[in-house]
Amino acid sequence: MTKEEIMEAIEGMTVLELSELVKAMEEKFGVSAAAPAAVAAAGGAAAGAAAEEKSEFNVMLTAVGDKKINVIKAVREATGLGLKEAKALVDGAPAAVKENVAKAEAEELKKKLEEAGATVELK
């Protein structure tokens, strides 16, 4: 299998399928995908000004709260996922709802999810 074939397969995956793939790879190879990101973040923080000018954010669902159905509906609306995928994402909290989105969109999504009863973080 070539790199191009692998990339095409990944492009066709849903967020949930991609998350499951990453977890499976972490388990199989005994690595963590978060480690390189932490190193990159530490290097970015040392730069100082780069951290202040962040233009893309990840919207992280940290806790569901009492109104799980409302949170699932809000996730479906925001991501376009099907019911099964949205429920799995909500059940798997903490999880990324959307990644690399503009600040305004991230804040709007955070507001909608919090109104639905979830606890949300922007990273």
Side-chain angles (χ1 to χ4, degrees):
M1 183 176 268
T2 67
K3 288 180 187 178
E4 289 80 23
E5 291 171 333
I6 293 170
M7 292 301 292
E8 287 176 17
I10 291 173
E11 286 176 349
M13 292 181 161
T14 65
V15 173
L16 178 61
E17 292 170 334
L18 190 55
S19 173
E20 291 170 350
L21 173 65
V22 170
K23 286 179 186 174
M25 290 176 70
E26 287 175 343
E27 289 174 11
K28 176 153 180 95
F29 299 110
V31 297
S32 173
V39 172
E52 293 177 23
E53 297 176 13
K54 187 172 181 178
S55 62
E56 293 184 338
F57 294 86
N58 294 340
V59 180
M60 300 293 295
L61 177 66
T62 56
V64 178
D66 295 340
K67 301 176 182 176
K68 184 176 175 180
I69 293 172
N70 291 342
V71 175
I72 293 171
K73 287 178 182 178
V75 168
R76 285 188 69 197
E77 180 183 319
T79 62
L81 292 174
L83 179 60
K84 183 177 179 181
E85 291 85 5
K87 182 181 182 302
L89 189 145
V90 170
D91 287 342
V97 177
K98 275 195 167 183
E99 296 180 337
N100 301 324
V101 294
K103 184 176 182 178
E105 182 181 350
E107 288 176 349
E108 182 179 331
L109 178 55
K110 179 181 179 186
K111 181 181 175 189
K112 285 181 182 179
L113 289 169
E114 286 176 342
E115 287 173 356
T119 304
V120 182
E121 255 181 43
L122 297 181
K123 292 188 176 185

Short mmCIF file of all heavy atoms in Angstrom, two decimals, residues 50-60 96-110 120-123:
data_model
loop_
_atom_site.label_atom_id
_atom_site.label_comp_id
_atom_site.label_asym_id
_atom_site.label_seq_id
_atom_site.Cartn_x
_atom_site.Cartn_y
_atom_site.Cartn_z
N ALA A 50 4.18 34.03 19.15
CA ALA A 50 3.45 33.07 18.31
C ALA A 50 2.22 32.56 19.02
O ALA A 50 1.17 32.37 18.40
CB ALA A 50 4.36 31.93 17.91
N ALA A 51 2.29 32.33 20.31
CA ALA A 51 1.15 31.82 21.06
C ALA A 51 0.03 32.85 21.14
O ALA A 51 -1.14 32.49 21.15
CB ALA A 51 1.59 31.40 22.46
N GLU A 52 0.36 34.11 21.20
CA GLU A 52 -0.64 35.16 21.29
C GLU A 52 -1.39 35.35 19.98
O GLU A 52 -2.52 35.82 19.99
CB GLU A 52 0.02 36.48 21.70
CG GLU A 52 0.56 36.45 23.12
CD GLU A 52 1.28 37.74 23.46
OE1 GLU A 52 1.00 38.77 22.83
OE2 GLU A 52 2.13 37.70 24.35
N GLU A 53 -0.78 35.02 18.87
CA GLU A 53 -1.38 35.27 17.56
C GLU A 53 -2.09 34.04 17.01
O GLU A 53 -2.30 33.93 15.82
CB GLU A 53 -0.30 35.72 16.59
CG GLU A 53 0.34 37.03 17.00
CD GLU A 53 1.48 37.42 16.09
OE1 GLU A 53 1.63 36.81 15.02
OE2 GLU A 53 2.24 38.31 16.46
N LYS A 54 -2.47 33.12 17.85
CA LYS A 54 -3.11 31.88 17.41
C LYS A 54 -4.40 32.20 16.66
O LYS A 54 -5.24 32.96 17.15
CB LYS A 54 -3.39 31.00 18.63
CG LYS A 54 -3.89 29.64 18.27
CD LYS A 54 -3.96 28.77 19.50
CE LYS A 54 -4.45 27.40 19.10
NZ LYS A 54 -4.50 26.51 20.24
N SER A 55 -4.56 31.63 15.48
CA SER A 55 -5.74 31.93 14.69
C SER A 55 -6.64 30.71 14.50
O SER A 55 -7.77 30.85 14.07
CB SER A 55 -5.32 32.46 13.31
OG SER A 55 -4.58 31.47 12.63
N GLU A 56 -6.15 29.52 14.83
CA GLU A 56 -6.95 28.31 14.69
C GLU A 56 -7.06 27.62 16.05
O GLU A 56 -6.10 27.54 16.80
CB GLU A 56 -6.33 27.36 13.67
CG GLU A 56 -6.37 27.91 12.26
CD GLU A 56 -5.85 26.92 11.23
OE1 GLU A 56 -5.10 26.01 11.60
OE2 GLU A 56 -6.22 27.06 10.07
N PHE A 57 -8.26 27.13 16.32
CA PHE A 57 -8.54 26.53 17.62
C PHE A 57 -9.18 25.16 17.44
O PHE A 57 -9.82 24.90 16.43
CB PHE A 57 -9.49 27.42 18.43
CG PHE A 57 -8.88 28.74 18.80
CD1 PHE A 57 -8.94 29.82 17.92
CD2 PHE A 57 -8.24 28.90 20.01
CE1 PHE A 57 -8.38 31.04 18.25
CE2 PHE A 57 -7.67 30.12 20.34
CZ PHE A 57 -7.74 31.19 19.47
N ASN A 58 -9.01 24.32 18.46
CA ASN A 58 -9.70 23.04 18.54
C ASN A 58 -10.80 23.19 19.58
O ASN A 58 -10.54 23.67 20.68
CB ASN A 58 -8.74 21.92 18.95
CG ASN A 58 -7.69 21.66 17.90
OD1 ASN A 58 -7.84 22.03 16.74
ND2 ASN A 58 -6.60 21.05 18.30
N VAL A 59 -12.01 22.79 19.24
CA VAL A 59 -13.13 22.84 20.16
C VAL A 59 -13.22 21.46 20.82
O VAL A 59 -13.52 20.47 20.16
CB VAL A 59 -14.45 23.19 19.44
CG1 VAL A 59 -15.60 23.24 20.42
CG2 VAL A 59 -14.31 24.50 18.69
N MET A 60 -12.91 21.42 22.13
CA MET A 60 -12.86 20.16 22.87
C MET A 60 -14.08 20.03 23.78
O MET A 60 -14.33 20.91 24.60
CB MET A 60 -11.59 20.09 23.73
CG MET A 60 -10.30 20.19 22.95
SD MET A 60 -9.98 18.78 21.89
CE MET A 60 -9.79 17.50 23.10
N ALA A 96 -12.36 15.96 20.65
CA ALA A 96 -12.41 17.14 19.79
C ALA A 96 -13.67 17.10 18.94
O ALA A 96 -13.94 16.11 18.27
CB ALA A 96 -11.19 17.19 18.89
N VAL A 97 -14.45 18.16 19.00
CA VAL A 97 -15.65 18.27 18.17
C VAL A 97 -15.25 18.78 16.79
O VAL A 97 -15.64 18.24 15.77
CB VAL A 97 -16.70 19.18 18.82
CG1 VAL A 97 -17.91 19.34 17.91
CG2 VAL A 97 -17.11 18.64 20.18
N LYS A 98 -14.46 19.85 16.77
CA LYS A 98 -13.93 20.41 15.53
C LYS A 98 -12.51 20.85 15.79
O LYS A 98 -12.18 21.33 16.87
CB LYS A 98 -14.76 21.61 15.05
CG LYS A 98 -15.96 21.26 14.24
CD LYS A 98 -16.49 22.49 13.52
CE LYS A 98 -17.48 22.09 12.47
NZ LYS A 98 -17.95 23.24 11.71
N GLU A 99 -11.67 20.70 14.78
CA GLU A 99 -10.27 21.07 14.91
C GLU A 99 -9.89 22.11 13.88
O GLU A 99 -10.43 22.14 12.78
CB GLU A 99 -9.39 19.83 14.76
CG GLU A 99 -9.62 18.80 15.85
CD GLU A 99 -8.76 17.57 15.70
OE1 GLU A 99 -8.30 17.27 14.58
OE2 GLU A 99 -8.54 16.90 16.72
N ASN A 100 -8.95 22.96 14.24
CA ASN A 100 -8.39 23.98 13.36
C ASN A 100 -9.45 24.88 12.75
O ASN A 100 -9.52 25.04 11.53
CB ASN A 100 -7.53 23.31 12.27
CG ASN A 100 -6.41 22.51 12.85
OD1 ASN A 100 -5.82 22.88 13.86
ND2 ASN A 100 -6.11 21.38 12.24
N VAL A 101 -10.30 25.45 13.60
CA VAL A 101 -11.32 26.37 13.13
C VAL A 101 -10.97 27.79 13.58
O VAL A 101 -10.22 27.99 14.53
CB VAL A 101 -12.73 25.98 13.64
CG1 VAL A 101 -13.18 24.67 13.06
CG2 VAL A 101 -12.79 25.93 15.15
N ALA A 102 -11.52 28.76 12.88
CA ALA A 102 -11.26 30.17 13.20
C ALA A 102 -11.81 30.50 14.59
O ALA A 102 -12.74 29.85 15.07
CB ALA A 102 -11.92 31.06 12.16
N LYS A 103 -11.24 31.51 15.21
CA LYS A 103 -11.61 31.88 16.58
C LYS A 103 -13.11 32.17 16.70
O LYS A 103 -13.76 31.70 17.63
CB LYS A 103 -10.79 33.09 17.02
CG LYS A 103 -11.06 33.47 18.46
CD LYS A 103 -10.17 34.61 18.91
CE LYS A 103 -10.44 34.93 20.38
NZ LYS A 103 -9.58 35.99 20.86
N ALA A 104 -13.66 32.92 15.77
CA ALA A 104 -15.08 33.28 15.83
C ALA A 104 -15.96 32.05 15.76
O ALA A 104 -16.92 31.90 16.53
CB ALA A 104 -15.43 34.25 14.71
N GLU A 105 -15.64 31.14 14.85
CA GLU A 105 -16.42 29.90 14.71
C GLU A 105 -16.28 29.04 15.96
O GLU A 105 -17.25 28.45 16.44
CB GLU A 105 -15.97 29.12 13.48
CG GLU A 105 -16.77 27.85 13.23
CD GLU A 105 -16.30 27.05 12.04
OE1 GLU A 105 -15.47 27.55 11.25
OE2 GLU A 105 -16.77 25.91 11.88
N ALA A 106 -15.07 28.97 16.50
CA ALA A 106 -14.82 28.16 17.70
C ALA A 106 -15.62 28.71 18.89
O ALA A 106 -16.23 27.94 19.64
CB ALA A 106 -13.33 28.14 18.02
N GLU A 107 -15.64 30.02 19.05
CA GLU A 107 -16.38 30.62 20.16
C GLU A 107 -17.88 30.42 20.00
O GLU A 107 -18.59 30.18 20.97
CB GLU A 107 -16.03 32.10 20.28
CG GLU A 107 -14.63 32.32 20.83
CD GLU A 107 -14.21 33.78 20.86
OE1 GLU A 107 -14.90 34.64 20.28
OE2 GLU A 107 -13.16 34.05 21.47
N GLU A 108 -18.37 30.52 18.75
CA GLU A 108 -19.79 30.31 18.49
C GLU A 108 -20.19 28.86 18.81
O GLU A 108 -21.21 28.61 19.45
CB GLU A 108 -20.10 30.64 17.03
CG GLU A 108 -21.56 30.50 16.67
CD GLU A 108 -21.84 30.86 15.22
OE1 GLU A 108 -21.10 31.69 14.64
OE2 GLU A 108 -22.79 30.30 14.67
N LEU A 109 -19.36 27.91 18.38
CA LEU A 109 -19.62 26.50 18.65
C LEU A 109 -19.57 26.22 20.15
O LEU A 109 -20.41 25.51 20.69
CB LEU A 109 -18.62 25.61 17.91
CG LEU A 109 -18.75 24.11 18.12
CD1 LEU A 109 -20.16 23.61 17.82
CD2 LEU A 109 -17.73 23.37 17.27
N LYS A 110 -18.61 26.82 20.83
CA LYS A 110 -18.49 26.66 22.28
C LYS A 110 -19.77 27.14 22.96
O LYS A 110 -20.32 26.47 23.83
CB LYS A 110 -17.29 27.43 22.81
CG LYS A 110 -17.13 27.33 24.32
CD LYS A 110 -15.95 28.13 24.81
CE LYS A 110 -15.87 28.02 26.34
NZ LYS A 110 -14.86 28.86 26.91
N VAL A 120 -17.10 22.88 27.61
CA VAL A 120 -16.28 22.95 26.40
C VAL A 120 -15.02 23.78 26.67
O VAL A 120 -15.07 24.74 27.43
CB VAL A 120 -17.09 23.60 25.25
CG1 VAL A 120 -16.29 23.65 23.97
CG2 VAL A 120 -18.39 22.84 25.02
N GLU A 121 -13.93 23.39 26.01
CA GLU A 121 -12.66 24.12 26.09
C GLU A 121 -12.19 24.44 24.69
O GLU A 121 -12.39 23.66 23.77
CB GLU A 121 -11.59 23.19 26.70
CG GLU A 121 -11.22 23.45 28.10
CD GLU A 121 -10.15 22.47 28.56
OE1 GLU A 121 -9.19 22.18 27.83
OE2 GLU A 121 -10.31 21.99 29.67
N LEU A 122 -11.55 25.58 24.55
CA LEU A 122 -10.90 25.93 23.28
C LEU A 122 -9.41 25.76 23.48
O LEU A 122 -8.84 26.27 24.44
CB LEU A 122 -11.20 27.37 22.87
CG LEU A 122 -12.66 27.70 22.58
CD1 LEU A 122 -12.79 29.15 22.15
CD2 LEU A 122 -13.25 26.79 21.53
N LYS A 123 -8.78 25.03 22.58
CA LYS A 123 -7.33 24.83 22.67
C LYS A 123 -6.67 25.30 21.41
O LYS A 123 -7.16 25.20 20.36
CB LYS A 123 -7.01 23.35 22.90
CG LYS A 123 -7.46 22.89 24.27
CD LYS A 123 -6.96 21.51 24.53
CE LYS A 123 -7.32 21.07 25.93
NZ LYS A 123 -6.78 19.81 26.30
#
